[in-house]
Amino acid sequence: MTRTYSFLSKASTRGLAGNGAGRKTGMVVLGAVGLAMAGCADQSGTGTLPAPQEPKAATSHKIGVLLPLTGPNAALGHELLAGAQLALAESGVATAQGQSQAQAQVQGRSGALQMDVHDTAAAGGASAAVTAAVEAGDGIILGPLTAVDTAAAAPAAQSASLPVLAFTSDVNQARDGVWVMGITPEDQVERLVATARKEGRQHFAAFLPDNPLGHALGNGLLASCRDQGLTTPTIVYHTGSAASITQMMRELSAYDTRKADAQPDGSTPAQTADATAPDKTLPSDLAAALNGGSGSASPSTDGTAQPAAPKLAPPPFDALLLGDTGLGLKNVIGALADSQVSSSSVRIMGPGLWAAFASKLGALKGAWYAAPDPSSRQSFVTRFMARNHHMPRPLADLSYDAATVATTVARTTSRGYPVSALTRQEGFAGVDGQFTLLPDGRTRRALGVFEVLGNGGGAKLLVPATTKTSVAG
């Protein structure tokens, strides 16, 4: 049902690089703590009932890992396992002369640390895996991978007072004793709103896909505006078709009202200072927009040029949150141009996913997104590649961070992983910068604000990464 792997097990590095070097560097000698506890668990007294004992999970430093090691997500599971293994190997253990780094023991206050790895893709899933972890005497759980598995594992872990550092970014899974390690959409939005407010933006709106990411971003915007004393934002969720996107953007931006208020000569009742600047209307073809094409007139079906649309007043918001990628984003960009919502009057903001293709966002020049500073990750990438011989996937950052929490707390406490130690004020040094576990199960991560440069230039770090989001005033 559940397979337990040690660092001496060949299976612990299966599927990562398929080479001997990866296996050699992935080994750590197991401590005797887990074996001793297992031996005690098998013994039972005769004649009298055993005295009640505190659950093993409350006192053990044994580290349980819940990941899919088989099935369709096996490769990703082994990738995250490699990240956790790297953190344990680097946990500051001195290597004795003649002993390889892979053979060094990771020491906690109560002795050498041991890692159990339980397969959430085996029979019984995450629920059976966490039950096995509890029975094995694990003191903390790193994982599971998904929100669904986290929801399945949480009840048994909470009953056993077993802290869970889950690799999901679904903030709905955060609760007492269960921490969401991923960078949540809500945290990204909070950082963006704080920065935009400092810039003087007061009226926020959102145009988001009707999917889980879109709703997470929308919930984050509602919470951030409430917490920062701003008016309740207007949020529209679209269904994804180009026609509906165009129509719903017109409604959100009060296009018809603004058009009716426009003067016959194309001026607006409240002419802005940059009204004489050339119109930067985005062509409907995103590829042309990325190449810098623009125009003030569009051809009709018979090939004749049509007069440019009148210049409209700004929309009823000065900051707009988007959540699309891919084709959906292309359609949204076209709708922005159609409704004359431009960066000259509106701060466009988006998800951290934009970081992966910032150089292709020329049509959104000046837009913001919140994400970790990539320069913080370079050292981790180098060390991971030296050990595993390939670039780490981004999710490996989370397992490394979770294992860092476990080893750090194990070195400073004599019994288990108390909440007070996990939520310490100074936080922990992670792959992407400093992070702190909050008592409510959320993880506060250092996020910077990036601005899209346009013309294939990617993005620049506008506001340095920090875990603080409060804005004075």
Side-chain angles (χ1 to χ4, degrees), residues 194-211:
T195 306
R197 183 187 172 204
K198 190 173 183 180
E199 187 188 38
R201 310 287 173 172
Q202 294 293 320
H203 304 286
F204 288 75
F207 192 75
L208 302 166
D210 189 8
N211 60 27

Side-chain angles (χ1 to χ4, degrees), residues 289-377:
L290 296 177
N291 290 329
S294 64
S296 58
S298 57
S300 66
T301 55
D302 61 3
T304 60
Q306 299 296 310
K311 183 72 174 180
L312 306 186
F317 48 81
D318 54 13
L320 178 64
L321 177 66
L322 306 179
D324 282 276
T325 59
L327 179 60
L329 182 57
K330 174 182 176 180
N331 292 334
V332 169
I333 291 173
L336 290 172
D338 173 80
S339 298
Q340 292 194 26
V341 177
S342 68
S343 59
S344 63
S345 57
V346 177
R347 175 63 64 193
I348 305 296
M349 305 178 297
L353 293 173
W354 285 3
F357 51 92
S359 62
K360 299 180 180 179
L361 293 175
L364 292 177
K365 180 179 179 180
W368 290 354
Y369 61 84
D373 184 348
S375 63
S376 301
R377 191 173 188 258

Side-chain angles (χ1 to χ4, degrees), residues 51-104:
Q53 294 183 356
E54 189 174 4
K56 299 176 190 175
T59 61
S60 171
H61 278 155
K62 194 175 179 182
I63 300 171
V65 179
L66 269 59
L67 288 170
L69 300 175
T70 57
N73 290 323
L76 186 56
H78 284 284
E79 184 85 346
L80 270 75
L81 179 58
Q85 289 173 332
L86 178 60
L88 262 72
E90 295 179 346
S91 61
V93 180
T95 303
Q97 186 174 7
Q99 183 183 38
S100 68
Q101 175 70 24
Q103 294 174 319

Side-chain angles (χ1 to χ4, degrees), residues 20-394:
R23 299 190 186 97
K24 291 178 181 177
T25 57
M27 299 180 181
V28 174
V29 175
L30 294 177
V33 177
L35 295 177
M37 295 181 71
C40 293
D42 289 337
Q43 298 174 1
S44 60
T46 57
T48 59
L49 292 175
Q53 294 183 356
E54 189 174 4
K56 299 176 190 175
T59 61
S60 171
H61 278 155
K62 194 175 179 182
I63 300 171
V65 179
L66 269 59
L67 288 170
L69 300 175
T70 57
N73 290 323
L76 186 56
H78 284 284
E79 184 85 346
L80 270 75
L81 179 58
Q85 289 173 332
L86 178 60
L88 262 72
E90 295 179 346
S91 61
V93 180
T95 303
Q97 186 174 7
Q99 183 183 38
S100 68
Q101 175 70 24
Q103 294 174 319
Q105 289 182 334
V106 180
Q107 298 289 329
R109 286 281 297 273
S110 60
L113 296 181
Q114 179 183 353
M115 179 182 279
D116 271 339
V117 184
H118 306 277
D119 187 1
T120 57
S127 179
V130 75
T131 298
V134 172
E135 293 175 350
D138 296 344
I140 192 170
I141 292 293
L142 313 186
L145 174 61
T146 67
V148 172
D149 281 352
T150 301
Q158 289 178 299
S159 296
S161 300
L162 189 61
V164 176
L165 306 184
F167 302 139
T168 178
S169 60
D170 181 2
V171 74
N172 293 319
Q173 302 306 319
R175 64 199 73 177
D176 291 345
V178 180
W179 283 269
V180 172
M181 294 296 291
I183 300 174
T184 67
E186 290 83 356
D187 272 356
Q188 297 172 40
V189 173
E190 184 177 6
R191 186 79 170 104
L192 291 170
V193 170
T195 306
R197 183 187 172 204
K198 190 173 183 180
E199 187 188 38
R201 310 287 173 172
Q202 294 293 320
H203 304 286
F204 288 75
F207 192 75
L208 302 166
D210 189 8
N211 60 27
L213 172 61
H215 284 274
L217 291 167
N219 292 338
L221 183 60
L222 286 169
S224 296
C225 288
R226 180 194 64 230
D227 294 346
Q228 299 186 41
L230 298 165
T231 57
T232 302
T234 302
I235 300 176
V236 171
Y237 296 99
H238 66 79
T239 57
S241 69
S244 68
I245 285 175
T246 298
Q247 180 58 36
M248 295 173 79
M249 179 64 76
R250 286 192 172 199
E251 294 173 2
L252 176 64
S253 65
Y255 175 81
D256 290 340
T257 301
R258 293 158 57 220
K259 184 177 180 180
D261 290 342
Q263 301 301 314
D265 62 356
S267 62
T268 63
Q271 196 71 268
T272 58
D274 63 346
T276 58
D279 187 6
K280 297 183 179 179
T281 302
L282 184 70
S284 59
D285 187 340
L286 178 60
L290 296 177
N291 290 329
S294 64
S296 58
S298 57
S300 66
T301 55
D302 61 3
T304 60
Q306 299 296 310
K311 183 72 174 180
L312 306 186
F317 48 81
D318 54 13
L320 178 64
L321 177 66
L322 306 179
D324 282 276
T325 59
L327 179 60
L329 182 57
K330 174 182 176 180
N331 292 334
V332 169
I333 291 173
L336 290 172
D338 173 80
S339 298
Q340 292 194 26
V341 177
S342 68
S343 59
S344 63
S345 57
V346 177
R347 175 63 64 193
I348 305 296
M349 305 178 297
L353 293 173
W354 285 3
F357 51 92
S359 62
K360 299 180 180 179
L361 293 175
L364 292 177
K365 180 179 179 180
W368 290 354
Y369 61 84
D373 184 348
S375 63
S376 301
R377 191 173 188 258
Q378 291 307 308
S379 176
F380 168 74
V381 171
T382 299
R383 302 191 317 272
F384 186 98
M385 290 183 66
R387 181 183 178 90
N388 299 293
H389 310 291
H390 68 272
M391 285 282 291
R393 298 186 188 184

